[in-house]
Amino acid sequence: MNEAINFPGDTPIAIPSGHASLQGLLTLPARLSALVVLTHAGENPEARDDALAVVLQHAGIGTLTLDLLTHAEERFADIHHNVPLLAKRLLDALALIKQGMLLSELPTLPIGLCAAGDCSPVALRVAALRDHDIFAVVCRGGLIDLAGMLYLRSLAAPLLVLVSEEDERVTASNRRALRELACRQELKLLPAASPDSATALGFVARETVHWFFQHLPKLV
């Protein structure tokens, strides 16, 4: 991690992964007790991630908002569903974060993952692979079974799944997938409202912050 980290403050981060360079924004508040990586694939959920990141920061949690796709890739639908590729990219980002902590470029902090839509199974798979580094996971929407049965069954980090109460198909699929998990888990239904409404954003923010406060260590 060659960037000079602004603490407190915002630091744009470029993360090399294969032939791609991923763009992220690292924000560390002055009162800091944990780090949550918010992942998305493409621009659509970016505004919602930004709003959630602000709430987490006010709660004393640093955030890395990370796009797992390059701008050139966003127009190709198939890559949005490529769980192995996106998981590899998120693993590369986590490796860079851990390296920064080991080199004292970043504070040593417990890490959580937060993902939405197509990135939900990606975050679950990565948390299962990095079970010593990831302490809690929150997924909004998406089909978590796409992570793969092996990863569902080996996940150790507590998992919160948020699904719109209007999306019966996704809710039913995720309930079936959760039966395969041995870790602490919970599924909550989002109120029937636009994903960008104040009601929906407030519910997501409240439940997400509460989950991380419950399960990330060393929070005060």
Side-chain angles (χ1 to χ4, degrees), residues 35-39 62-66 90 93-94 97 111-115:
L35 178 68
V36 168
V37 182
L38 299 105
T39 62
T63 61
L64 172 62
T65 55
L66 179 65
L90 182 51
L94 288 173
I97 291 169
I111 300 172
L113 295 180
C114 185

Side-chain angles (χ1 to χ4, degrees), residues 21-121:
S21 179
L22 309 178
Q23 302 305 308
L25 181 65
L26 177 68
T27 302
L28 302 178
R31 182 172 61 89
L32 180 64
S33 55
L35 178 68
V36 168
V37 182
L38 299 105
T39 62
H40 59 273
E43 295 182 351
N44 288 340
E46 189 171 0
R48 296 195 290 275
D49 279 353
D50 289 346
L52 179 55
V54 170
V55 176
L56 289 166
Q57 292 153 22
H58 286 167
I61 299 174
T63 61
L64 172 62
T65 55
L66 179 65
D67 192 346
L68 295 179
L69 297 180
T70 67
H71 290 303
E73 293 170 336
E74 290 174 2
R75 66 183 185 273
F76 299 107
D78 58 335
I79 199 169
H80 288 254
H81 308 290
N82 191 331
V83 173
L85 173 64
L86 299 182
K88 171 65 168 58
R89 291 180 173 182
L90 182 51
L91 286 167
D92 288 341
L94 288 173
L96 191 67
I97 291 169
K98 294 297 291 185
Q99 180 187 51
M101 292 181 180
L102 288 171
L103 297 175
S104 299
E105 297 170 346
L106 282 171
T108 299
L109 300 165
I111 300 172
L113 295 180
C114 185
D118 294 331
C119 284
S120 288

Side-chain angles (χ1 to χ4, degrees), residues 161-175:
V161 178
L162 302 172
V163 185
S164 171
E165 64 183 10
E166 296 178 318
D167 200 334
E168 297 179 2
R169 181 183 67 87
V170 172
T171 300
S173 175
N174 283 337
R175 287 193 191 280

